[in-house]
Amino acid sequence: MRKRFLLLVVALFALICFAACGGTKAKGDGEITLVVVDEAGKELFNDELAYFTGDTLVDVFTKDEKVKMTGSTSEYGFFIESVCGKKATDVGETYFWNLKVNGEVSLVGISSVVIEDGMKIELILTDWTKTE
């Protein structure tokens, strides 16, 4: 009986996790606002970008001619190396592209963010030794 209950709890937890993840591809067309800020606080980009059904944030940002996001993909997702021609490593070894979604620091990487119409994405070049 106890083993069956434990199996049920594990199966229910897996189902909830699967449903919550739901995929990161856009379910329809829309627009998002992207703001890119360098280490000095200067805006490198601030505009709306269109996306289409099936797009991911990585798709939208790597394809845009002004944003020109580059990086690499691993089993952990997409690692941002440069945005708007600015490489984090050119600024310093402790810099990275900090991702904010609707004003909040993202708890997931860029390849795991689900696109929603009207959302605001910020990529801020940040020194990880000086973050709170």
Side-chain angles (χ1 to χ4, degrees):
M1 177 73 169
R2 184 175 181 175
K3 190 174 183 180
R4 183 177 280 169
F5 177 73
L6 183 59
L7 183 61
L8 179 64
V9 169
V10 170
L12 184 59
F13 180 73
L15 181 63
I16 291 170
C17 288
F18 180 74
C21 292
T24 60
K25 294 187 177 196
K27 306 249 185 293
D29 300 349
E31 287 187 342
I32 56 174
T33 300
L34 173 63
V35 179
V36 179
V37 180
D38 72 8
E39 74 284 358
K42 178 183 172 190
E43 277 190 5
L44 303 177
F45 185 89
N46 186 345
D47 206 353
E48 291 182 349
L49 297 172
Y51 66 85
F52 304 98
T53 302
D55 281 346
T56 65
L57 284 181
V58 174
D59 294 335
V60 175
F61 297 163
T62 56
K63 291 177 185 174
D64 187 83
E65 289 298 315
K66 293 179 184 173
V67 178
K68 297 181 185 176
M69 184 175 75
T70 66
S72 56
T73 303
S74 74
E75 68 257 26
Y76 304 110
F78 189 84
F79 178 77
I80 303 170
E81 294 171 2
S82 71
V83 183
C84 297
K86 186 98 173 183
K87 280 186 166 183
T89 54
D90 287 348
V91 178
E93 290 181 14
T94 58
Y95 282 82
F96 72 104
W97 286 103
N98 191 7
L99 172 64
K100 288 188 174 184
V101 178
N102 296 324
E104 301 289 328
V105 174
S106 180
L107 299 177
V108 297
I110 194 162
S111 51
S112 296
V113 175
V114 178
I115 297 179
E116 295 177 9
D117 190 36
M119 72 188 319
K120 180 180 180 182
I121 301 293
E122 296 169 86
L123 292 171
I124 305 166
L125 196 52
T126 304
D127 183 346
W128 64 265
T129 64
K130 296 179 182 173
T131 59
E132 297 174 14

